[in-house]
Each structure stands twice: as structure tokens, then as C-alpha cells.
Amino acid sequence: MTGSSVLFDAPGPVARRRSRISSIIGAVLILAGLGWIVVTLAAPKGNLPGYFDPSRWEPFTNPIVWERIFTVGVWGTLSAALTASAFALILGTVFSLLRSAQTAWIRIPTAVVLEFIRGMPVLLMMLFILLVLSTGTFWAVVAALSLYNGVLIGEALRAGLASLPRGQREAGLSLGMRPMQSKILVEFPQAFRQMLPIIIAQLVVLLKDTSLGYIVGYVELLRVTMNQLATFYGNYYLFSFYIVALVLYLIMNLSLSWVARWVSRRTASKTGSPTPNPDEENEELLKGIATANAERRQTGKGAI
Amino acid sequence: MDAVIENLPLYLEGFGTTVLLLVVSGLAALVIGTLVAAMRISPVASLRWFSTGYTELVRNTPLTLVLFFTAIVLPILGSRLDFVTAAFIGLSVYTSPFIAEALRSGINGVPVGQAEAARSVGFGFAQTVGLIVLPQAFRMTVPPLINVFIALTKNTSVAGAFFVVDLFATGRILANDRGDAVIPILLGVATFYLLITVPLGLLAARLERRWVVQR
């Protein structure tokens, strides 16, 4: 349904004109809304200047502020995200293999544990690890994020394994590989490649969720800008710090999202087969899960 | 265990707030998300660009920053909101692009041939969309939508850390009070979350199996 032009007749001159006019009206309304926000922010508040006044942005002329934002804030966020990503990928691999195991007494307990982790808020997990295991905030954040995202990556990989043609496994087995060998050497690399865009999209979520570390007291970008620096300089600059934090998060997340899209295009052109698009993650996951379930019913056994 | 039973009324109060957050912001997000999705496929170019920009912007902003927006920027713009309303707004704005994407991917999942067939037997726009595309898209959309609501349930905990005394905030307060019983208290909180998320997850899985395979 990508070509929505199927839905209606090719527009004639009148319809084209009407669409152009409504497009212009829409643009004017949107711009008016955005303009109102900017004007309200720029207007002086009582005897204080507006929010775009240079005096509100003074701290950013100080290089030490930037140094702190980058070496403590951005680094805190990125180091937690990188460590958690590495662990999440490892855990995801392990979970996907365990959950698609042939023996029921491995598969079923794993499924229960994974559902339990998936149903809990990450924040609660962080608090739990912090208070019960007293690991320190960095490891609490990393452990909770790796567990939670590991489960989701594991699900994606399992769907990828299930959506492979059966011939791949049969070919591996007929070459004399053991089931585990065929799974790791033949099926898994293909599943991983096919699901790579979804995995990267999940890593964007992980990167975003490092900001929950703010709540458990981990020092990352949000804590440095909205708490430490804002307290040091005072509420007068709170808005400016907020905007800087927002822009930095957007730069990090959008570039990672862009990588996901690039990878998806690249794998699609290489394999010549449609690969999942990170934007339509739900649909593709659904398809994979559906295939898995169909397969399960066919063979009467567990997922392959 | 005693710590949980003693404080059951507090738990239930927190649970009520969580459910309230879930229902109100879920409905609001559904409304905003549907509007954004409709703009995204509309023939009016400026609305299409706006919704694309909105989706990209909000999807790449952490929920904590969205909540900070309702706490810092909205008051500057002249809002006089109490904390619960701020939490409603933050959660629904954050959830809306995910709903829009779920709706859009559902509509994109209907094969073009279906619409072409409808057009070729002489159906108009309203008939094609209303009788052919949407009923099929609905099946593709409901399970992902349920998954979005599961995520929202978990995200209400972040609002609890900021504004309102929900299940998570209750758990945190109780854990601070009773340092000797942190594990049962937090497991109690987890149980209440699982009471919402697990049934929803089972429902989504069931609907997926029943609906998607058939087509």
C-alpha cells in the first residue's frame, strides 16, 4: 500500500489546485503555531529578558562548561550505552538460542524468565539492581539495559531464525553437521544479518533509555546538564541547558537511526531480498513471529 | 512478605494511579497518533512534512526529556498544569509517534493488489479504504498497538519518578522506609506491573496467531 495513488483517480487541474491551496493553508497554520512558540519564548518575562537573550546563554561561552558536558555528560551516556549494547548483543544471542532449543525443559523456563523481564519497567530493574545488589549506579544502569534489550534482541533474532527457509538447516544437517553446528554456522549468521536493522533500532532505544540513569543517580548527559550545571548556574539558565541536552540527544539518536536505515538499504541491495525496515519494525517482527508459530504448528514441535 | 501485606493499601493506591496514567495517556496518544498517521498519508504536502518531522523528533527524544519539556517549557508558554496533567501530556506525546507508526505499518502491510482489485471493480476512495483496506489493516495493527500500550505501561514508571505517586514511586518510598525488606517490596511492585503487561502480551500473541497467519 505504499503507492497511495491507487486509492484515488489521478487528480485533475481543479483537484491539484485545491490540494496546493490546502497545502499552503496547512503550512501557514503550522508556521503560525511554531512562530507563536518562538515569540512567546523570546518575549521578556516581567523584568527578566526573554529566553533567546544572549545573557541566558552566557555559560556556554565558558569552555569548561562544554568540557564538562562532553567529557562527563556525553561520555557517561555513551560509555553506558556502548557497554550495555555489547552485553545486550551477547545476551540476545544466548536467549535466542536457548529459546529455540529443541528440549522443552530448556525452552519453557527460558520463555517464562524472558517474559518476566520483558514485562517489567527498565527503571524498576535499575532500582532493584542498585538497591539489592548494590553494584553502583553505572553497573545498575548497564545491567538493567543489557537484560531488557537483550531479551528484545533475542526475540528479533529468534524471529529471524524462524523465518529462514528450512532448506538451510536441512543442507547443514545433510553435510554432516550436528544440529548445534548448523544453527551457529549456517542459520545464525543469516538471521543476524537479516535482523540487523531491527537490532540497531533496538540499540537506539537503549541509547535513549540511558537517560533513565538520571533517576537512579547515574551521572550522564541529563544529570550533568539539568542537575549539576543547572544547580551551579541557577534556574535562570535552565531552559538553555534543556535545549543543549535535547540537541545533543537528537544528534546522537538521529545519527544512529540513520545508520540503521543505511544498513537496511545496504543489506537489501546486497541480498536482493526485502530486509526489514527499522521504520516498520512491528510489521516485520509480526511476520517473523507468525512464521515461527506457523512452523510450530506444522511440525508439532517447538520452534526450530 | 510482611512488608508487602502491611502496605497493601499503598500498593493499591499506586496501582490505581498507574492504571489511570495508562488509560488516560493511552487514549490521548491514540487520538494524537491517529491524527499524525492520517497527516502522514494525506495528499496535503505540508501536513505530510509536519507529521514526518514530528515523528522523527519525538521518537528520538528520551522520555525523560519529554517530561522535562512539560515541566520546564510548557509553564514558560503559559500553561498552569498540575503534575498529573503534565504526566498525561508527556506520556501521550511520547507514545503518539509509536502509535502512528504502528497504524502506518498496518496500512502499508495491506498488499497493493487489494486496493487495485477494489478499484478495478469500480469502488470509490471511501469504499476502497473503508471496506477493503482498513478492515485488513486493523488486523495487522491491533497486536502492535497492544505492544505500544505494554511499553506505555512500563513508561508510566518514569512519570512516577518525576511527578506523581504511582506504583514505582510507591515502591521507591517503601524501599527507602524499610531498608530490611527491599527485595519483597520491589518484587511486589514488579508483580503489579506484570499483572498488566503479561495479560496484554498474551492477548497480543493470541491475536497475532489468530489473525496474521490466516491471510
Side-chain angles (χ1 to χ4, degrees):
Chain A
M1 288 299 307
T2 26
S4 55
S5 56
V6 186
L7 293 177
F8 28 80
D9 297 318
V14 178
R16 266 205 302 267
R17 197 169 61 225
R18 205 177 295 144
S19 134
R20 207 174 308 132
I21 291 172
S22 41
S23 180
I24 291 169
I25 294 175
V28 167
L29 285 178
I30 292 163
L31 286 179
L34 293 177
W36 176 79
I37 292 176
V38 171
V39 167
T40 318
L41 286 175
K45 306 274 167 279
N47 42 16
L48 292 174
Y51 284 90
F52 297 121
D53 192 79
S55 72
R56 295 251 185 203
W57 299 81
E58 232 156 46
F60 297 107
T61 55
N62 187 348
I64 295 169
V65 168
W66 285 110
E67 199 193 314
R68 189 148 178 87
I69 287 177
F70 279 101
T71 57
V72 182
V74 174
W75 172 244
T77 295
L78 286 181
S79 61
L82 282 174
T83 324
S85 309
F87 282 118
L89 285 175
I90 297 169
L91 283 176
T93 312
V94 172
F95 288 154
S96 72
L97 291 178
L98 284 180
R99 204 173 170 178
S100 55
Q102 297 279 353
T103 26
W105 61 266
I106 299 179
R107 198 175 61 236
I108 294 169
T110 320
V112 172
V113 172
L114 296 194
E115 283 304 316
F116 180 79
I117 296 175
R118 215 155 69 128
M120 260 213 297
V122 196
L123 192 54
L124 188 64
M125 242 186 281
M126 282 181 193
L127 191 71
F128 189 87
I129 296 170
L130 182 69
L131 293 183
V132 175
L133 306 176
S134 38
T135 49
T137 48
F138 176 77
W139 287 107
V141 170
V142 166
L145 286 177
S146 337
L147 263 181
Y148 181 76
N149 291 287
V151 170
L152 294 180
I153 289 174
E155 286 297 285
L157 285 174
R158 190 175 66 101
L161 280 176
S163 67
L164 285 180
R166 285 160 70 98
Q168 297 292 329
R169 181 178 179 75
E170 284 163 0
L173 292 179
S174 70
L175 284 173
M177 289 180 174
R178 271 170 274 123
M180 200 58 191
Q181 262 182 318
S182 138
K183 184 159 277 169
I184 290 175
L185 294 174
V186 179
E187 295 165 61
F188 195 78
Q190 300 184 55
F192 189 81
R193 188 154 182 194
Q194 204 192 352
M195 287 294 153
L196 194 57
I198 288 181
I199 291 173
I200 300 179
Q202 191 59 43
L203 295 183
V204 177
V205 175
L206 190 153
L207 180 58
K208 272 200 311 185
D209 281 355
T210 53
S211 73
L212 296 179
Y214 173 81
I215 295 161
V216 294
Y218 174 58
V219 180
E220 36 72 78
L221 182 53
L222 209 53
R223 163 108 0 217
V224 167
T225 49
M226 299 304 290
N227 190 284
Q228 294 180 345
L229 288 172
T231 318
F232 183 74
Y233 280 100
N235 271 344
Y236 184 67
Y237 303 103
L238 194 58
F239 177 78
S240 318
F241 283 119
Y242 175 81
I243 294 293
V244 168
L246 180 66
V247 168
L248 286 175
Y249 265 112
L250 284 177
I251 291 172
M252 291 192 284
N253 292 328
L254 283 172
S255 38
L256 196 53
S257 306
W258 183 81
V259 170
R261 240 165 253 165
W262 179 74
V263 167
S264 137
R265 261 204 311 275
R266 197 161 152 271
T267 34
S269 64
K270 250 191 186 165
T271 54
S273 65
T275 34
N277 178 348
D279 289 337
E280 278 147 35
E281 175 184 347
N282 288 322
E283 184 204 340
E284 292 304 329
L285 261 179
L286 262 184
K287 272 184 201 154
I289 292 165
T291 346
N293 290 327
E295 199 107 23
R296 185 178 303 161
R297 215 171 296 152
Q298 243 173 38
T299 55
K301 269 198 249 162
I304 44 171
Chain B
M1 202 58 211
D2 292 345
V4 177
I5 295 166
E6 266 168 38
N7 294 307
L8 207 57
L10 286 176
Y11 271 111
L12 289 177
E13 213 171 292
F15 185 65
T17 314
T18 294
V19 172
L20 183 73
L21 282 172
L22 170 64
V23 171
V24 176
S25 14
L27 289 177
L30 206 56
V31 173
I32 305 174
T34 313
L35 280 177
V36 173
M39 280 171 153
R40 189 97 187 233
I41 58 170
S42 84
V44 181
S46 58
L47 294 184
R48 241 179 2 242
W49 293 331
F50 176 73
S51 66
T52 312
Y54 174 85
T55 312
E56 279 296 293
L57 189 73
V58 179
R59 253 189 3 155
N60 286 294
T61 309
L63 176 56
T64 33
L65 273 174
V66 177
L67 289 174
F68 266 125
F69 183 86
T70 62
I72 296 173
V73 184
L74 283 187
I76 297 174
L77 294 176
S79 72
R80 298 279 171 274
L81 298 172
D82 54 89
F83 284 153
V84 182
T85 323
F88 286 152
I89 292 177
L91 285 172
S92 49
V93 165
Y94 180 77
T95 313
S96 59
F98 295 96
I99 290 201
E101 287 299 286
L103 292 175
R104 198 173 68 101
S105 73
I107 290 178
N108 280 341
V110 179
V112 186
Q114 298 287 327
E116 281 170 353
R119 293 288 293 159
S120 67
V121 291
F123 280 12
F125 174 76
Q127 279 171 314
T128 312
V129 172
L131 297 175
I132 307 296
V133 178
L134 283 187
Q136 298 186 58
F138 180 72
R139 304 181 146 203
M140 299 285 286
T141 314
V142 169
L145 275 185
I146 296 178
N147 285 331
V148 172
F149 287 126
I150 293 177
L152 174 61
T153 314
K154 292 182 278 184
N155 284 336
T156 53
S157 65
V158 183
F162 271 82
F163 297 125
V164 283
V165 184
D166 74 333
L167 206 44
F168 175 77
T170 311
R172 196 148 75 148
I173 296 166
L174 288 178
N176 276 339
D177 274 3
R178 294 281 308 264
D180 55 320
V182 172
I183 297 179
I185 283 175
L186 291 184
L187 284 181
V189 175
T191 314
F192 276 107
Y193 277 111
L194 293 174
L195 272 182
I196 306 179
T197 53
V198 168
L200 280 178
L202 291 177
L203 180 69
R206 211 187 137 82
L207 294 180
E208 266 163 28
R209 224 170 298 149
R210 275 202 20 206
W211 286 351
V212 182
V213 182
Q214 278 175 3
R215 208 155 56 75

